[in-house]
Amino acid sequence: MPAVPAGPRTYEEELEFIEQVSDVEWCVRPGFVPGMNVPGVFYVNAALRELIFEELQIFAQRAQHGGFLPAVKQVANVAALPGIVQRSIALPDMHSGYGFAIGNVAAFDMADPRAVVSPGGVGFDINCGVRLIRTNLSEADLEGRKEALAQALFDHIPVGVGSQGIIPTTAADLEAALEMGMDWSLREGYAWAEDKEHCEEYGRMLGADPTKVSLRAKKRGLPQMGTLGAGNHYAEIQVVEHVFDAAAARKMGINRVGQVCVMIHSGSRGLGHQVATDALTAMERAMARDGIHVNDRQLACARINSQEGQDYLAAMACAANYAWVNRASMTFLCRQAFAKVFGRSPAELDMHLVYDVSHNIAKVEQHMVDGELKQLLVHRKGSTRAFPPHHPLIPVDYQLTGQPVLIGGTMGTHSYVLTGTAKGMAETFGSTCHGAGRARSRNSSRRQLNYQEVLDSLKAKGIAIRVASPKLVMEEAPESYKDVSAVVDTCHQAGISKKAVRLRPVAVIKG
């Protein structure tokens, strides 16, 4: 192992700690950053490799150790956290985030008293996730109705930064939703019974305790139930363009090319952001008390079994439940919009939920570690759970195919449905990518891209768009992101998930 220089390293010295394991897998050896307990691993193919190493080279040239950190450094810093097992993993959509890289997966041994939970490993938009709703419509059915349907969705689903929900929600409703998740939606008539069956965790984390959610968080969440929000959140009307795995697709009710689906991407809005903010403040105090040292202060954490750790997990579960209710509420509104345009009930349109996945969450799961079954707290930040066939925590419908994994594209690009694999269970704690991953910052996108050119490009592709904020058009343009197909191909080639369906957008609703 190369010696660790006392001062900043050159790019060439940094590379001595990184080795290629396969065409798509790279290992970051201990010593890359101080105190690594396990190696780091990241998955990229040839098309994505340059972005990762270019970011590291810029960092080395600037020789700065505060502020900007490249994603590979963040993955290594996570590998230095107490109680981490096996390795810190980054998926091909990896990019720099708060504390953890976005696309980072890390698991901590629940039996290890040193093991920690870190809000930076979940993110500020707790349980940001994606759901896919199928229909029995074909692309031909959208002829002459696509613009009207896009407008109906835009009218029905509140979007934008300050958007407020139209589903009546009292303070008592909010408390119940935080505790019950989609059971609340079902009770109130905003979800179908079978929706729950096709939702990760059945749409409810049982450890939720609304008393651990601050009044400020509740105040922020109360008016936002059933709202899309802004940023990279969207509702898209999509059509099936290609089926890679016909058997898996049939199990999902996707049975032909040209079939119309709807994808909704959103999370816990202001409530989740406040839960994370509150926890970070409490954990900074806990770290000083318990003598926990981290390489980056953004990795603020607390022992899992500490009061701060338990309080965060209970509040995080509430925020996760809120996000499932939020997506369920928007599904209700989406079904209403389709019914209005087509003059048929949602049931007649076969608007069933294919699946709902989370990609910003921490969950207690059982995994094999060095031949031993262990109970772990798995942090997935910008990463999707991808459990294999026959896993007891996935629906009966998908026992033979593996869990559906929904990978949202960027505005105007393809989205994918994958399935989980046994290899992914063994290598990545049953995790895979969550989307394309940013290739340039939001500020850079606004500076370098032209609003009208982006709109014209979408129009040329035949995509209807409704957006609340013009600046978001540049921030969320395809040019701002990695190629989602390259990201998905990397995961498929690595064997950590398997391609099932590719979807093409025909209408995009954004905040």
Side-chain angles (χ1 to χ4, degrees):
M1 181 181 294
V4 182
R9 293 195 293 246
T10 65
Y11 176 59
E12 289 70 28
E13 287 171 331
E14 297 277 39
L15 290 182
E16 290 183 33
F17 289 87
I18 303 174
E19 62 179 328
Q20 189 166 5
V21 178
S22 73
D23 287 346
V24 294
E25 184 180 346
W26 297 73
C27 179
V28 184
R29 292 197 301 272
F32 185 66
V33 300
M36 289 176 68
N37 298 309
V38 295
V41 169
F42 61 93
Y43 294 88
V44 287
N45 65 5
L48 299 170
R49 191 179 306 159
E50 185 179 337
L51 281 170
I52 301 300
F53 287 99
E54 181 184 20
E55 189 180 56
L56 184 61
Q57 186 172 21
I58 291 169
F59 174 79
Q61 287 169 350
R62 291 178 180 174
Q64 65 179 48
H65 289 266
F68 158 79
L69 272 180
V72 69
K73 284 279 185 184
Q74 293 188 310
V75 171
N77 282 337
V78 169
L81 289 174
I84 189 170
V85 298
Q86 278 194 329
R87 50 197 193 159
S88 172
I89 302 158
L91 298 155
D93 46 349
M94 64 187 283
H95 56 285
S96 187
Y98 184 92
F100 280 56
I102 294 164
N104 205 168
V105 178
F108 298 81
D109 186 352
M110 299 285 289
D112 185 341
R114 301 169 304 142
V116 297
V117 56
S118 175
V122 172
F124 283 93
D125 192 359
I126 295 167
N127 190 8
C128 186
V130 183
R131 61 171 43 197
L132 185 69
I133 304 142
R134 71 178 192 235
T135 76
N136 56 17
L137 299 167
S138 296
E139 188 171 12
D141 296 317
L142 300 181
E143 193 112 0
R145 287 176 163 150
K146 184 170 65 177
E147 291 292 340
L149 188 56
Q151 189 61 47
L153 273 180
F154 191 70
D155 291 342
H156 277 70
I157 300 175
V159 303
V161 175
S163 54
Q164 296 201 354
I166 58 173
I167 289 177
T169 312
T170 65
D173 288 327
L174 179 64
E175 292 281 333
L178 294 180
E179 183 177 352
M180 297 172 64
M182 278 183 61
D183 284 336
W184 179 85
S185 301
L186 192 57
R187 187 187 77 184
E188 299 298 318
Y190 298 121
W192 294 354
E194 55 266 38
D195 289 351
K196 257 192 67 170
E197 299 299 314
H198 285 181
C199 189
E200 192 172 326
E201 296 292 314
Y202 300 100
R204 179 180 185 179
M205 290 190 79
L206 297 177
D209 181 353
T211 67
K212 302 302 183 183
V213 178
S214 70
L215 288 175
R216 177 163 173 75
K218 291 173 182 175
K219 186 176 179 181
R220 291 182 68 179
L222 184 60
Q224 294 184 332
M225 188 76 78
T227 64
L228 192 64
N232 62 348
H233 295 162
Y234 60 77
E236 272 191 6
I237 303 166
Q238 304 172 340
V239 295
V240 175
E241 185 176 79
H242 188 81
V243 175
F244 300 96
D245 185 335
R250 277 197 303 273
K251 283 291 184 184
M252 299 173 201
I254 296 174
N255 48 39
R256 66 190 186 281
V257 170
Q259 185 174 346
V260 174
C261 298
V262 181
M263 184 174 279
I264 296 173
H265 175 206
S266 191
S268 52
R269 307 286 278 110
L271 183 139
H273 194 284
Q274 192 63 47
V275 165
T277 302
D278 293 341
L280 287 166
T281 303
M283 287 184 181
E284 284 183 358
R285 293 193 295 266
M287 288 172 64
R289 180 194 67 212
D290 296 337
I292 301 172
H293 301 286
V294 294
N295 289 339
D296 177 4
R297 68 184 301 264
Q298 291 184 357
L299 289 172
C301 55
R303 308 283 186 211
I304 294 172
N305 58 8
S306 70
Q307 189 64 56
E308 292 83 1
Q310 291 298 302
D311 286 353
Y312 170 69
L313 289 172
M316 183 210 70
C318 287
N321 288 345
Y322 179 97
W324 279 311
V325 171
N326 193 34
R327 291 196 288 275
S329 299
M330 285 187 281
T331 301
F332 171 81
L333 297 169
C334 168
R335 286 168 173 158
Q336 299 301 316
F338 268 71
K340 179 180 179 181
V341 171
F342 289 96
R344 294 156 62 192
S345 73
E348 289 174 314
L349 292 168
D350 192 37
M351 296 189 73
H352 289 276
L353 182 63
V354 173
Y355 207 61
D356 178 301
V357 294
S358 313
H359 53 231
N360 275 3
I361 205 159
K363 290 199 287 194
V364 178
E365 298 172 357
Q366 290 187 324
H367 292 271
M368 296 298 293
V369 178
D370 300 326
E372 184 182 347
L373 187 65
K374 287 184 176 285
Q375 188 150 294
L376 307 177
L377 182 64
V378 183
H379 294 61
R380 294 189 181 93
K381 179 180 179 179
S383 163
T384 311
R385 193 187 77 176
F387 280 177
H390 313 300
H391 195 285
L393 294 183
I394 61 176
V396 172
D397 292 355
Y398 302 133
Q399 280 291 308
L400 298 180
T401 60
Q403 178 204 310
V405 179
L406 310 175
I407 308 300
T410 58
M411 191 170 62
T413 65
H414 294 106
S415 294
Y416 287 83
V417 184
L418 316 179
T419 51
T421 65
K423 188 177 182 187
M425 197 68 181
E427 292 192 4
T428 63
F429 303 106
S431 311
T432 192
C433 63
H434 85 301
R438 292 198 77 87
R440 61 171 67 167
S441 71
R442 296 184 190 280
N443 286 337
S444 172
S445 297
R446 287 198 298 270
R447 284 196 308 268
Q448 298 183 35
L449 299 174
N450 177 274
Y451 168 69
Q452 195 56 50
E453 286 176 2
V454 175
L455 286 184
D456 290 345
S457 172
L458 292 170
K459 189 175 180 181
K461 295 176 183 176
I463 300 170
I465 181 167
R466 299 291 185 279
V467 62
S469 169
K471 74 174 183 179
L472 276 176
V473 172
M474 288 89 80
E475 288 180 8
E476 301 303 321
E479 295 86 348
S480 302
Y481 286 84
K482 298 176 185 179
D483 178 358
V484 68
S485 295
V487 169
V488 166
D489 287 344
T490 301
C491 294
H492 183 84
Q493 189 177 344
I496 60 176
S497 50
K498 182 182 174 186
K499 291 193 286 189
V501 177
R502 185 173 70 229
L503 300 144
R504 170 173 54 84
V506 295
V508 182
I509 313 304
K510 292 190 74 73

